[in-house]
Amino acid sequence: LKYLKKRGGCAVKYTVYTSFGKFTLSLFPEDAPATVKNFSEYVEENFYNNTIFHRVIDGFMIQGGGFDNNLEEKSTKEAIRNEANNGLSNKALTIAMARTSDPHSASSQFFINLVDNTFLDFKDETLDGWGYAVFGEVIDGQETIFKIGKVQTGTHGFFQDVPVNPIGIQKIVKLK
């Protein structure tokens, strides 16, 4: 909740309903306009409904927003430009965009930091320096995030750190 005080009323809020409980996100459109717009469009299209947290690493992060219960990747829109150079840091309970080794490859997948992961922050506009774009934070339901972070994981095909029992994202709802 480090960022909330400086944001005032400009944040966009969403409640994420999971099979482990719910949590609320506050997103920062002033700091990451393209990223918040992208996430919001996926929510409006119900894209995240019935997806899973497919990667969970205790002491690091939980990742979701791209796969169904069978670990089949959902078809996404075009990737967005990385906004990690917005001054926000990958602190505990912030949400950031997941991506491949291409800095500008984020589409639907996101992760929530379980601890301060400042090594993921923007350093410079090089392949290794871009970092991961923080675009919001968890403001309620933190216990759900930490509960997800403690689940047993294993390897499933090519995937590592997959929860043994799927953790569903049932739906994401924008708050009025």
Side-chain angles (χ1 to χ4, degrees):
L1 304 176
K2 296 167 179 46
Y3 302 117
L4 197 57
K5 287 182 176 60
K6 76 174 192 175
R7 292 288 177 289
C10 65
V12 180
K13 295 182 174 73
Y14 291 92
T15 297
V16 181
Y17 294 87
T18 78
S19 55
F20 270 54
K22 65 182 181 175
F23 59 90
T24 302
L25 298 168
S26 179
L27 306 186
F28 310 140
E30 289 180 10
D31 298 297
T35 307
V36 170
K37 180 178 185 283
N38 179 67
F39 182 87
S40 298
E41 287 172 355
Y42 278 114
V43 170
E44 288 167 21
E45 295 164 7
N46 296 317
F47 178 90
Y48 294 119
N49 293 8
N50 303 310
T51 59
I52 59 170
F53 282 101
H54 65 276
R55 187 169 172 232
V56 173
I57 304 173
D58 190 23
F60 180 40
M61 60 90 217
I62 63 174
Q63 181 176 338
F67 292 87
D68 66 17
N69 269 339
N70 300 316
L71 275 179
E72 290 183 23
E73 192 166 10
K74 293 185 72 170
S75 189
T76 61
K77 299 183 288 196
E78 228 176 273
I80 58 171
R81 181 149 181 80
N82 191 330
E83 294 181 305
N85 57 349
N86 61 13
L88 299 180
S89 180
N90 281 276
K91 299 280 191 182
L93 295 169
T94 57
I95 183 172
M97 290 305 294
R99 61 174 177 78
T100 66
S101 58
D102 173 353
H104 305 290
S105 62
S107 58
S108 68
Q109 293 185 41
F110 58 86
F111 63 92
I112 298 171
N113 291 290
L114 296 172
V115 297
D116 291 352
N117 291 314
T118 56
F119 68 95
L120 298 175
D121 292 350
F122 175 84
K123 292 166 192 58
D124 54 53
E125 291 187 11
T126 63
L127 205 55
D128 294 332
W130 260 104
Y132 294 79
V134 171
F135 65 103
E137 66 187 341
V138 177
I139 58 166
D140 190 39
Q142 295 87 340
E143 64 283 351
T144 299
I145 301 299
F146 293 120
K147 190 162 88 173
I148 293 169
K150 295 287 185 197
V151 301
Q152 183 182 357
T153 61
T155 302
H156 189 280
F158 295 109
F159 300 97
Q160 296 178 322
D161 308 306
V162 178
V164 172
N165 297 307
I167 302 164
I169 298 172
Q170 297 153 339
K171 65 182 176 178
I172 302 178
V173 177
K174 185 174 182 178
L175 301 179
K176 304 284 183 227

